[in-house]
């Protein structure tokens, strides 16, 4: 079991309140996922040549005491990259104007235990073990601003409870996915993708789905075509919620084994595994509430 | 008739269910209103008294489950397993219902004004279900006894492996399940259907429905079937 939440706001004023509205959604899914939690938020993009990485130091020897400023000094000294860093304990967002692959290669070489959570121009990603309330508090989720986000609360079934196996998973740039369910053919998907040079960070089944869909997008599929390929190739139980810089997308397996409910009004689209995570939202009593059908694609534009 | 209300925003669901289970019989309360249900699970489960419970909002999983004698009205949608294993009484969902609505119900009547999700009436054991809208795939799977009325359409594999339950369908089924077949409506079907529609407050013409029941070819093991049904 796991919990999924998503929120996309349509009115500019609500962008300021994105995190505040989402935290009760995430905490509402604690019973479905008490072991880890995570969140990816999409905000105004950096300019064309800039990139940002979300980084997690909890797996390094120094943990939350990681020397983040030493890292930016190293980047300057070795690569002549001026990076800005925004630190929250064992997490930092590193922004720079340089080729992201070069920076990531340097990070893997000099800080192999530092976990790269996400890459892109719009996405910030946080995930860690702990209850949703603890994780939300650790990273001050309530203060998060942006146009849309996806969140997850995890009750692990398919791989160990570790920060890197928490959701959301990312692949490529500005793409993330959260999953409630379990896949039966993740190893087949991995064996199919690895010859294409696709590297996996963990043994988690959701990571296979995430990298498969991002690979389809990178190969030129539009989102709908990629999701259709997902229906054909990914076997098992799933409700997937995905985020891109301008979209949220949701699909459910043909048996609708894992729940999802959507509430929509003029101000927002909110998605959760269960209605109890939506009950607090403003004017929810007048929102259109519905259950997304199995094997249908739901895509909302930010 | 005494009326009582529980606001789940400020009081606990367990306290409310405890009242409904243990104190109601010694009390003359016959009407309970539940405010701010907010998707909570297990609202008004296991009732055993002739009481009306009005749930003012969306209910979570298993609302009205195991119901006996009571009338539970949900003025919103219901989560997975509404009226699961109902024995008698009525559960009425004014909105839509999620998966497994009325699963294994032995008796009573479940009315869903909107659509029902997948596996509606799975393993039905004698209860009646009337769905004003459409039902998802695998509805009526292995239903043993009772009746299902579907005013809209049905998904795939309707009535798969049916026993003696009967399904009345007004719209179209994407597909029928193994061993389910369309049959001619009899006078007994028309009168049973008219009664169910009337109880549900629906005025469809019984003549617009088709009957689906078991062909009973799965009742006995056939070693020659090669697992192809």
């Amino acid at each position: 079991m796991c919990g999924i939440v998503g929120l996309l706001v349509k009115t500019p004023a609500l962008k300021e309140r994105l995190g505040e509205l989402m935290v009760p959604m995430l905490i509402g899914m604690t019973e479905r996922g008490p072991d880890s939690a995570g969140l990816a938020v999409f905000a105004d993009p950096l300019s064309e040549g800039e990139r940002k990485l979300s980084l997690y130091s909890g797996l390094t020897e120094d943990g939350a005491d990681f020397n983040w400023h030493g890292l930016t000094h190293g980047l300057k000294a070795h690569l002549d990259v001026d990076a800005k860093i925004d630190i929250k304990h064992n997490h930092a967002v590193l922004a720079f104007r340089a080729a992201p692959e070069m920076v990531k290669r340097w990070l893997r070489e000099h800080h192999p235990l530092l976990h790269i959570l996400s890459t892109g121009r719009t996405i910030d990603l946080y995930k860690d073990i702990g209850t949703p309330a603890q994780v939300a508090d650790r990273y001050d989720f309530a203060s998060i601003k942006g146009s849309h986000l996806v969140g997850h609360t995890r009750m692990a079934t398919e791989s160990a409870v570790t920060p890197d196996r928490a959701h959301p998973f990312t692949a490529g740039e500005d793409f993330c996915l959260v999953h409630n369910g379990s896949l039966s053919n993740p190893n087949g998907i991995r064996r199919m993708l690895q010859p294409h040079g696709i590297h996996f960070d963990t043994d988690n089944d959701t990571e296979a789905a995430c990298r498969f869909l991002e690979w389809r997008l990178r190969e030129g599929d539009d989102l709908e075509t990629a999701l259709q390929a997902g229906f054909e190739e990914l076997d098992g139980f799933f409700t997937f919620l995905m985020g891109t810089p301008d979209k949220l997308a949701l699909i459910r397996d043909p048996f609708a084994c894992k729940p999802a409910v959507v509430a929509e009004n003029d101000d927002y689209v909110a998605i959760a595994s269960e209605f109890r995570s939506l009950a607090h939202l403003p004017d929810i009593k007048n929102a259109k509430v519905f259950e997304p059908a199995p094997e249908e694609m739901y895509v909302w534009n930010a | 008739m005494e009326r009582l209300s529980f606001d789940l925003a400020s009081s606990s669901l367990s306290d409310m269910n405890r009242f409904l289970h243990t104190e109601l019989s010694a009390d003359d309360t016959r009407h309970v209103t539940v405010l701010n249900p907010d998707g909570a699970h297990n609202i008004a489960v296991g009732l055993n008294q002739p009481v009306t419970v009005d749930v003012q909002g969306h209910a979570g999983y298993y609302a009205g489950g195991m119901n006996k004698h009571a009338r539970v009205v949900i003025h919103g949608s219901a989560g997975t397993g509404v009226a699961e294993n109902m024995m008698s009484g009525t559960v009425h969902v004014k909105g839509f219902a999620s998966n497994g609505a009325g699963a294994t119900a032995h008796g009573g009547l479940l009315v869903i004004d909107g659509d029902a999700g997948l596996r509606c009436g799975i393993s039905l054991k004698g209860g009646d279900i009337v769905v004003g809208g459409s039902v998802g795939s695998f509805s009526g799977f292995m239903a043993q006894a009772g009746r299902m009325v579907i005013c809209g359409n049905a998904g795939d594999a309707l009535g798969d492996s049916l026993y003696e339950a009967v399904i009345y369908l007004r719209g179209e089924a994407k597909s029928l399940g193994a061993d389910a077949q369309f049959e001619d409506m009899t006078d007994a079907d028309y009168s049973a259907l008219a009664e169910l529609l009337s109880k549900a407050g629906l005025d469809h013409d019984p003549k617009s429905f088709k009957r689906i029941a078991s062909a009973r070819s799965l009742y006995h093991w056939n070693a020659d079937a090669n697992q192809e049904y």
Side-chain angles (χ1 to χ4, degrees), chain A residues 1 31-32 252 254-259 261 273-277 279-280 284-285 287 289-291 294-295, chain B residues 36-41 56 58-61 77-80 96-99 116-119 137-138 174:
Chain A
M1 199 182 263
E31 286 172 26
R32 295 190 65 90
R252 299 177 74 195
F255 293 85
C257 267
K258 298 297 173 184
V261 61
S273 297
E274 299 179 34
F275 181 79
R276 52 186 167 150
S277 269
H280 68 284
I284 187 75
K285 288 190 166 67
V289 175
F290 66 97
E291 205 171 59
E295 251 184 324
Chain B
N36 296 306
D38 289 356
H41 293 190
Q56 299 292 347
H58 300 291
Y61 291 12
S77 68
T80 297
F96 67 85
S98 187
N99 295 341
L118 288 81
R119 301 179 281 283
S137 297
F138 317 107
K174 215 165 156 192

Side-chain angles (χ1 to χ4, degrees), chain A residues 82-231:
Chain A
D82 288 306
K84 281 187 296 187
I85 193 154
D86 184 7
I87 302 161
K88 281 180 186 163
H89 314 289
N90 60 14
H91 182 281
V93 176
L94 185 77
F96 51 84
R97 179 177 288 278
E101 284 316 313
M102 175 182 76
V103 174
K104 282 157 80 169
R105 202 178 312 120
W106 183 88
L107 288 172
R108 287 195 193 99
E109 203 173 306
H110 292 83
H111 302 282
L113 296 178
L114 194 66
H115 189 56
I116 301 169
L117 297 166
S118 67
T119 309
R121 288 169 57 208
T122 56
I123 190 172
D124 287 341
L125 195 137
Y126 303 84
K127 62 182 185 181
D128 206 351
I129 53 175
T131 65
Q134 287 167 343
V135 175
D137 190 47
R138 195 170 301 154
Y139 302 118
D140 194 17
F141 282 173
S143 70
I144 279 172
K145 297 168 179 40
S147 55
H148 55 299
L149 56 78
V150 303
H152 188 266
T153 67
R154 182 168 189 235
M155 185 186 286
T157 58
E158 305 304 299
S159 66
V161 177
T162 61
D164 52 338
R165 294 179 179 92
H167 303 214
F169 279 90
T170 63
E173 295 198 357
D174 290 322
F175 176 77
C176 77
L177 176 146
V178 295
H179 177 200
N180 175 197
S182 54
L183 298 180
S184 55
N185 65 342
N187 293 327
I189 299 290
R190 295 160 74 95
R191 283 193 295 272
M192 190 252 286
L193 294 177
Q194 278 161 339
H196 294 283
I198 291 170
H199 166 81
F200 286 81
D201 288 337
T202 72
D203 57 355
N204 181 282
D205 59 329
T206 304
E207 187 182 355
C210 180
R211 295 203 184 274
F212 173 79
L213 292 169
E214 191 274 336
W215 170 66
R216 290 312 320 152
L217 292 168
R218 199 151 30 85
E219 291 291 307
D221 285 0
D222 59 23
L223 188 58
E224 285 75 10
T225 312
L227 295 179
Q228 187 56 45
F231 281 132

Side-chain angles (χ1 to χ4, degrees), chain B residues 92 109-113 130-131 194-202:
Chain B
H92 187 164
L109 173 67
L110 168 63
V111 178
I112 299 160
D113 289 352
V130 181
V131 181
E195 192 193 336
L196 287 168
L197 288 168
S198 153
K199 278 187 186 170
L202 295 164

